[in-house]
Amino acid sequence: MCGIVALIGSREAAPQLLEGLRQLEYRGYDSAGIATLDGEGLHCLKAEGKLVNLTARYEQHGAPGQCGIGHTRWATHGKPEERNAHPHLDGSGRLAVVQNGIIENHRSLREDLQAAGVRFLSDTDTEVIPHLIARRLAELQASGRSADPALLLEAVQQVLPLLHGAYALAVVWADVPGALVVARRQAPLLIGLGEGEFLCASDTPALAGFTRTILPLEDGEVALLTPLGIELYDAAGDRVQRTPTLLSGTEHVADKRSFRHFMLKEIHEQPETAALWVARHLPQGSGGPLVALPLDDDVYAGVERIQILACGTSRHAAQVGAYLLEQLAGIPTSVFYASEFRYAPPPLVPNTLTIGVTQSGETADTLAALAMEQERRRAVAD
Ligand code: GLU
């Protein structure tokens, strides 16, 4: 899980971007970076390690502009080092992209771009994106289009279908410093609506101190943000209108309390969290079902076996779950590493319930494994 923030408005973007990234620190990261835009061009700063390193760079070099993007990276492709930190730029250094997730077909895209003379500066899957968008922008401009926010939106919309995988991303281009394009597929992204400004982020803690009015992007959507407003489009490119919602209370604030780091806090919170879960899902009294999950009964009808897909700590929890399912429900249950299931799934067997377990709800391997399993079953059903 990484964090994305993006801001467009009428005040200096960098301090708000850094604060937003700080609020997303609970997600874990190995490096961080920001890029801002002003009349002079793009200003990009990156640093390995904790945010204090990036903040020190900012204090030393500055990053002027009222529009910008920021990222905390959790490396999937390429070592956690500065040159692999986001934002990634196109060859001209005028277009910048931050991305969360994995571009599965990055290798073939990279080879095509390299064959066309593009030089890559990182080992990431992400770096193909700025080059693809820049190439599309150049093609559109060669056909007589002028650089404006609509052009950037169109170039991004035309590149997204080339990307396979799960992502949330934000794009800025120095030729149109008053525009920001964001998009998501199978990774979260929310837009916070301020007064004459918009802040996008992977999760609500980054927005909570900025605004209570939010517009979560739906899967496949793309948004063009300018200081004047939001244009929202679905995956087919059709304009979408949706009413923003309100964030409630303080539950969205990720607070380390007095703990040294988030993992320690989560470990200490386990008894409280387990009690909450039990109260919510184990009905009081006798006579009812042993466990009441918010699913329709027909989901369970006829289930002969269960497979659980998970990674890391979620996989440990899944093993306990498998034990309970076998002992209490009497249904044979297997637990798979989602990351391996993706590449070597067992043969399809009818009446199998597949459950994905992810602590964050965003684990890329687990989401991709579930999507693949769904696709496999659909193919057999057709
Ligand atoms: N796959 C990208 C990378 O390795 C993004 C990882 C992330 O979600 O932080 O740079």
Side-chain angles (χ1 to χ4, degrees):
M1 262 198 325
C2 78
I4 285 185
V5 289
L7 179 79
I8 184 156
S10 52
R11 57 172 149 157
E12 281 301 291
Q16 183 70 52
L17 293 173
L18 291 168
E19 174 56 20
L21 292 178
R22 203 179 66 75
Q23 296 295 343
L24 297 178
E25 273 194 303
Y26 74 93
R27 299 163 72 83
Y29 63 102
D30 52 58
S31 54
I34 57 171
T36 58
L37 292 177
D38 67 1
E40 304 289 304
L42 192 82
H43 309 275
C44 187
L45 300 172
K46 305 182 191 194
E48 203 177 310
K50 291 290 168 199
L51 271 177
V52 285
N53 301 342
L54 180 64
T55 306
R57 295 259 157 102
Y58 169 65
E59 279 160 6
Q60 197 184 350
H61 304 285
Q66 296 167 349
C67 174
I69 55 180
H71 189 264
T72 43
R73 175 173 189 243
W74 186 282
T76 64
H77 294 65
K79 286 185 194 157
E81 30 187 62
E82 189 172 321
R83 71 193 185 91
N84 288 329
H86 300 210
H88 290 288
L89 311 185
D90 74 324
S92 73
R94 293 182 65 75
L95 184 118
V97 172
V98 289
Q99 180 238 342
N100 171 7
I102 296 175
I103 304 304
E104 300 284 356
N105 59 334
H106 72 99
R107 198 178 301 276
S108 59
L109 293 171
R110 177 183 275 252
E111 282 165 8
D112 288 351
L113 287 159
Q114 279 171 329
V118 170
R119 222 179 109 244
F120 280 80
L121 302 178
S122 81
D123 301 324
T124 63
D125 49 339
T126 307
E127 200 184 347
V128 296
I129 306 174
H131 291 296
L132 288 171
I133 298 173
R135 185 171 72 179
R136 193 67 203 120
L137 279 169
E139 286 162 1
L140 290 167
Q141 286 184 295
S143 71
R145 299 279 303 277
S146 52
D148 59 17
L151 189 76
L152 178 61
L153 170 71
E154 196 175 318
V156 174
Q157 281 173 316
Q158 290 177 1
V159 164
L160 293 180
L162 306 177
L163 308 177
H164 302 169
Y167 55 76
L169 54 83
V171 187
V172 288
W173 184 30
D175 289 32
V176 284
L180 167 68
V181 175
V182 293
R184 66 157 285 216
R185 185 158 83 203
Q186 292 170 23
L189 200 64
L190 310 139
I191 304 175
L193 287 70
E195 283 184 22
E197 56 184 358
F198 300 100
L199 178 65
C200 308
S202 311
D203 199 3
T204 49
L207 303 176
F210 175 84
T211 181
R212 289 188 54 219
T213 313
I214 60 157
L215 187 68
L217 280 195
E218 303 265 321
D219 211 46
E221 283 183 345
V222 183
L224 168 65
L225 307 171
T226 68
L228 298 179
I230 304 178
E231 286 177 24
L232 194 60
Y233 296 86
D234 64 16
D238 293 324
R239 186 84 186 259
V240 178
Q241 303 286 350
R242 204 170 43 250
T243 315
T245 54
L246 281 185
L247 273 180
S248 60
T250 53
E251 62 188 294
H252 302 289
V253 178
D255 182 3
K256 269 195 294 201
R257 307 211 317 242
S258 52
F259 294 104
R260 264 187 34 239
H261 48 73
F262 281 101
M263 192 193 286
L264 202 56
K265 171 178 163 270
E266 285 167 12
I267 289 170
H268 283 271
E269 278 175 354
Q270 280 179 12
E272 201 185 316
T273 308
L276 263 176
W277 187 90
V278 167
R280 189 175 305 156
H281 294 295
L282 290 190
Q284 300 295 316
S286 56
L290 190 58
V291 178
L293 293 178
L295 295 174
D296 292 338
D297 283 353
D298 54 343
V299 173
Y300 306 112
V303 168
E304 288 170 12
R305 64 196 65 68
I306 298 175
Q307 54 191 22
I308 310 182
L309 318 183
C311 297
T313 308
S314 297
R315 188 175 157 277
H316 296 148
Q319 278 170 322
V320 178
Y323 168 79
L324 294 174
L325 284 164
E326 291 197 329
Q327 300 310 311
L328 298 179
I331 305 176
T333 304
S334 322
V335 178
F336 295 87
Y337 274 115
S339 47
E340 289 173 22
F341 186 94
R342 290 176 64 188
Y343 302 107
L348 278 177
V349 182
N351 303 324
T352 303
L353 172 68
T354 303
I355 303 173
V357 179
T358 137
Q359 187 190 2
S360 61
E362 296 171 32
T363 310
D365 280 313
T366 308
L367 296 184
L370 285 172
M372 186 205 76
E373 183 62 359
Q374 208 168 19
E375 206 41 56
R376 261 196 335 151
R377 291 184 190 188
R378 211 172 277 142
V380 169
D382 287 349

